[in-house]
Amino acid sequence: YGGRVPQPLPTFLVLGAAKSGTTSLAMYLAAHPQVFVASRKEVRFFDRHWDEGLDWYREHFAKAGDAVAVGEASPAYLTNPLVVERVAATLPGVRAVVLLRDPVARAVSAYHFALGLGLETRSLDEAMADELAGREGPFRALYLETGQYAAHLRRWFDALGREAVLVELFDDLEAKPREVFARVCAHLGVDATVVPDNGVTAMKVADVDGVKVSGLLLDAGTVNSPALLQVGDAGPGASHA
């Protein structure tokens, strides 16, 4: 009585993959009247800021009000096994959304993004060869490792339950954003008929992070490969076993 009311914790996380449309999806969700998304891009509590403590994390959702779904998007979460353990222990019942992109196109896009930020100094071939050989580069890029979707998804399915993880495709978000958005909303338990004011219209990956990338990346192939998606039936729109 009279004490401070604890701030909410997320009911959902957008886990990744990096360079797969997660920023656009977070923007769409933030415009939904029943959804609150942390204003800080990539809060990254469960990997980079774990030592800050749970109260620090809660502060990012202090303005959630009566939102039905509360969450954040940190694409680095997808690939980190330690994050999986921490999320499962800290956020019981959390719902997760994963966007997957053709792994080759994703790797090349991530390389150009790092190059544009000045983090990467190697040629594309050198960067990929170094990662394959286990050689360290100027930073921990994980261009190819991030695309090992089967292993990453299996950890999340095992930790949260298959029904708690919705898997969608970057190509579908680009071509049919309203359909994908409706499925995401249904997964999060909010009104799936809402079309936010920001339009949910066809996105352009080059605009996602304010860094111009090569136009050829926009013409990448799909990720509808059985080898990638046959993990607990992780097909597009899949969330139930």
Side-chain angles (χ1 to χ4, degrees):
Y1 298 100
R4 185 180 180 185
V5 177
Q7 305 296 348
L9 283 170
T11 62
F12 76 89
L13 299 171
V14 179
L15 301 175
K19 311 312 299 176
S20 300
T22 55
T23 299
S24 287
L25 179 59
M27 290 172 59
Y28 296 161
L29 286 169
H32 192 296
Q34 294 179 313
V35 179
F36 178 85
V37 178
S39 58
R40 174 172 175 161
K41 184 186 176 190
E42 299 190 26
V43 177
R44 296 193 64 173
F45 169 66
F46 292 100
D47 58 349
R48 183 174 291 172
H49 298 290
W50 180 251
D51 291 340
E52 300 284 353
L54 202 57
D55 286 343
W56 177 91
Y57 191 43
R58 287 182 184 274
E59 286 299 321
H60 291 83
F61 311 102
K63 298 180 180 179
D66 59 356
V68 176
V70 177
E72 56 126 333
S74 292
Y77 288 167
L78 177 66
T79 60
N80 191 325
L82 184 57
V83 168
V84 180
E85 297 176 13
R86 289 171 172 174
V87 168
T90 307
L91 303 176
V94 72
R95 309 290 277 179
V97 179
V98 178
L99 289 171
L100 300 182
R101 183 179 183 182
D102 178 281
V104 175
R106 197 221 65 82
V108 174
S109 179
Y111 167 81
H112 280 277
F113 181 65
L115 195 67
L117 292 178
L119 298 174
E120 183 60 81
T121 57
R122 300 165 293 178
S123 70
L124 177 62
D125 288 345
E126 289 170 339
M128 301 304 166
D130 283 350
E131 186 173 343
L132 286 171
R135 294 188 293 266
E136 291 190 7
F139 73 111
R140 194 165 181 264
L142 300 180
Y143 297 125
L144 302 176
E145 171 64 21
T146 298
Q148 301 296 316
Y149 298 138
H152 305 319
L153 289 173
R154 188 173 290 113
R155 285 193 293 266
W156 284 102
F157 293 165
D158 290 345
L160 303 185
R162 178 64 190 90
E163 71 287 347
V165 183
L166 176 69
V167 180
E168 292 287 350
L169 304 181
F170 169 87
D171 290 332
D172 288 343
L173 181 63
E174 189 174 37
K176 300 174 289 185
R178 292 193 183 192
E179 293 180 23
V180 172
F181 185 69
R183 289 196 294 268
V184 171
C185 288
H187 182 65
L188 302 185
V190 298
D191 189 347
T193 66
V194 169
V195 178
D197 292 339
N198 62 5
V200 192
T201 54
M203 52 174 270
K204 294 186 182 298
V205 67
D207 297 331
V208 167
D209 289 293
V211 175
K212 185 177 181 180
V213 296
S214 172
L216 64 87
L217 299 180
L218 304 181
D219 298 322
T222 73
V223 74
N224 290 301
S225 164
L228 292 173
L229 296 176
Q230 288 180 351
V231 185
D233 190 33
S239 63
H240 298 283

